[in-house]
Amino acid sequence: KEYKQAEEYFQKAFNNIDMPVDLLEYFYARFLFETGQKEKGMEFLSRALEKGEPEAIEFKNLINISK
């Protein structure tokens, strides 16, 4: 139930933004990884990396190490 509600909140955030929101893609990517949606998570992590977000870079390095 909590994951479903979190997904709804993320979708509302993506649908209602007029300006870029810092770390939104990063946190959504982390959420997707936690829920086993790694392919979709990589898509959003890539978006966060394109924005140059340090947290995204750190997380990418972390998942590369754990492979």
Side-chain angles (χ1 to χ4, degrees), residues 38-55:
K38 292 181 180 173
E39 190 172 314
K40 190 173 180 182
M42 280 304 298
E43 176 187 330
F44 281 88
L45 182 59
S46 293
R47 292 181 190 183
L49 290 167
E50 287 174 10
K51 292 167 78 173
E53 295 175 345
E55 294 85 351

Side-chain angles (χ1 to χ4, degrees), residues 18-30:
D18 296 325
M19 299 172 50
V21 175
D22 288 344
L23 301 174
L24 180 58
E25 289 85 357
Y26 163 73
F27 282 117
Y28 189 49
R30 292 291 303 249

Side-chain angles (χ1 to χ4, degrees), residues 1-16 28 31:
K1 178 162 169 90
E2 290 176 10
Y3 286 131
K4 182 177 171 69
Q5 190 172 28
E7 177 69 37
E8 289 174 9
Y9 287 138
F10 276 116
Q11 292 309 315
K12 284 181 183 179
F14 282 114
N15 291 332
N16 293 311
Y28 189 49
F31 167 76

